[in-house]
Structure formats: C-alpha cells, structure tokens
Amino acid sequence: MDIKENLTNIENAIKASCDKVGRDPNTVNIVAVTKYVSVATTKAALDNGLIHIGENRAEGALEKWEELNERGVWHFIGSLQTRKVKKIIGKYEYLHSLDRLSLAEELDKRLKEGQKIKCFVQVNVSGEESKAGIEPNHLRTFIDQLADFEKIQVVGLMTMAPFYEDPELTRPIFKQLRQLRDEIKSLKLDHAPCTELSMGMSNDYLVAVEEGATFVRIGSALVGRE
Ligand SMILES: *Cc1c(COP(=O)(O)O)cnc(C)c1O
C-alpha cells in the first residue's frame, strides 16, 4: 500500500468534488480509518501528514494509541458498548457513534471534571435494521435530552450509508443527513452547535463531499487492509 499516493489521489478527488459544488476543500477532514491495519501502517499514515485516526474497537486500538497517541487526533467510530466506555475515556477526542442516552450518561459519568468529548450523533437515515443510530424523527428529542450531560458536546451528525456498487445511490441518504444537521444547527443550542457532518467511506466519500461532509472516514482506499 502506498499511502502517500493514495492520499494524493484522494485529496485531488476531494478537491474536484469540492470544485463541482463550490466548496472549500479545506473544510473536508480526512479520518484515516486504521481498524484493518497494524501499528506500523498507522504510524505511516501519521508520517504522511494524516492527523485524524479512526478506530472502532476499544481493545484493538489500545496498542496503537499507546504508541502513537501524542501525534494524532483520535476518533472512535464504531458502536460502543456502555461497559467499554471506561476503556476509551480520555483517549479519543471524538466519538462518531452516540446513539443512546445510556451511552451519554456513562460518558458523562466517566469523564473527569472539565473534560469533554466531541460527539457526532449517529442517525439511521437509511432505516436498515442492521444499522445503529437514532431514527430521524426522534433526533430532535434526543438532542434536547443530551443537554443534561455537560461533558457531551454535539459537534455534528454521522451516518453510514448502505454499500452500493454505484455510490450515486447513497446521495439521498447524505442529503437527508445534511438537512437534519441544518435543522439542529439552526437552533443554535449551546450543547449542540452541530456544525459538522461525518459521512462517506472508501466507496462513497466523493458523493458525501458533494453533499457537505466535513469528516470523511476512509479505510481501505487509503491505508488498505492487512
Ligand atoms: C470501517 C469503517 C469505515 C471505513 O471503511 P472503508 O470502507 O474501509 O473506508 C468508516 N466508518 C466506519 C463507521 C467504519 O466502521
């Protein structure tokens, strides 16, 4: 895997998509998803200038975090069991999968005084049963309830689209997440500024960028699988 070459190609493609819709490419952050790769490859990602590292397993990522934590900004992107919260606490600046109050409660309890975690509320836009996330019509209530937890900062919304051969088919899902984000953002809530959109993976990140993604989560197309 040539991470440097992959990154250049991805950045150029993102720039082209941004040009198409009149966006500034600097507003798109690449989260390098390293869940399939070793510590060495994760280090190589950082060496190539990537800053945001995404992992989806508390234990699986521990070794990487211990060796490399001073260098990156760490994102927990997978579903998180409540009992595993203590394993990730203080290690990750971002959580992309906040999907229930019990999780918010546990995070709020475990974080130290003055610590905060930046959260994306995961929304199940596609409605697939296999996908985690809040249903779109429950989102507003959920966001309001999160005001009770002072250590939770809702920075944005996240979704996972189904895998389609033709990434164009994901567009309506990303569009809907953006509309939901705009609705919450317009409320100007202190605990939920909700300015960000975490959407798009290796197969569909360009469509997500066209629809406003500010964080794309890219694994296989960037760092490969080992
Ligand atoms: C694995 C994973 C990704 C990256 O997947 P690729 O298709 O390899 O880019 C992105 N987001 C989440 C939540 C993941 O679990």
Side-chain angles (χ1 to χ4, degrees):
M1 258 292 153
D2 188 336
I3 295 177
K4 194 185 173 77
E5 187 182 322
N6 293 344
L7 180 59
T8 303
N9 291 339
I10 289 169
E11 282 175 341
N12 288 339
I14 288 176
K15 184 170 182 312
S17 291
C18 282
D19 285 348
K20 223 156 115 182
V21 296
R23 285 189 66 189
D24 173 0
N26 293 319
T27 60
V28 182
N29 298 285
I30 298 173
V31 180
V33 176
T34 51
K35 68 186 187 197
Y36 310 117
V37 301
S38 63
V39 180
T41 304
T42 306
K43 181 172 177 298
L46 290 161
D47 290 343
N48 279 289
L50 286 153
I51 296 163
H52 299 285
I53 301 293
E55 282 284 340
N56 71 339
R57 275 195 297 268
E59 289 94 346
L62 198 59
E63 194 193 347
K64 286 173 193 155
W65 190 86
E66 280 169 355
E67 286 198 32
L68 305 169
N69 73 80
E70 277 162 21
R71 301 184 50 195
V73 173
W74 293 72
H75 295 247
F76 198 88
I77 62 169
S79 59
L80 181 58
Q81 289 171 282
T82 307
R83 66 188 173 82
K84 299 239 165 113
V85 163
K86 53 181 176 299
K87 301 211 159 112
I88 71 133
I89 216 76
K91 297 186 169 68
Y92 291 83
E93 190 164 330
Y94 289 85
L95 173 71
H96 288 240
S97 53
L98 182 57
D99 62 355
R100 57 197 192 279
L101 284 179
S102 58
L103 182 56
E105 196 176 345
E106 180 71 6
L107 285 160
D108 198 64
K109 192 173 108 190
R110 298 273 174 191
L111 283 159
K112 295 203 186 77
E113 217 43 58
Q115 268 184 338
K116 281 193 189 233
I117 185 159
K118 294 173 188 163
C119 294
F120 289 86
V121 170
Q122 185 168 355
V123 185
N124 186 1
V125 177
S126 69
E128 287 175 289
E129 268 180 40
S130 61
K131 292 246 155 48
I134 300 286
E135 280 177 44
N137 56 1
H138 293 156
L139 180 63
R140 177 66 205 278
T141 308
F142 184 65
I143 297 270
D144 285 344
Q145 288 167 330
L146 291 174
D148 292 344
F149 307 105
E150 70 179 32
K151 294 168 192 156
I152 305 278
Q153 186 76 359
V154 181
V155 296
L157 303 182
M158 177 275 212
T159 201
M160 285 177 81
F163 178 87
Y164 294 120
E165 285 297 329
D166 176 6
E168 191 51 40
L169 297 175
T170 59
R171 191 179 295 278
I173 289 166
F174 296 149
K175 229 184 242 305
Q176 198 186 334
L177 193 72
R178 185 203 178 123
Q179 281 165 1
L180 292 166
R181 192 275 315 260
D182 290 346
E183 283 169 29
I184 305 295
K185 185 180 158 194
S186 72
L187 302 171
K188 300 195 186 316
L189 302 169
D190 276 347
H191 75 287
C194 206
T195 51
E196 310 300 325
L197 276 175
S198 168
M199 57 191 196
M201 308 179 16
S202 288
N203 185 53
D204 53 20
Y205 69 95
L206 293 176
V207 179
V209 166
E210 286 176 21
E211 295 303 329
T214 61
F215 286 83
V216 288
R217 310 177 309 267
I218 309 182
S220 36
L222 178 57
V223 293
R225 289 172 182 253
E226 291 166 347

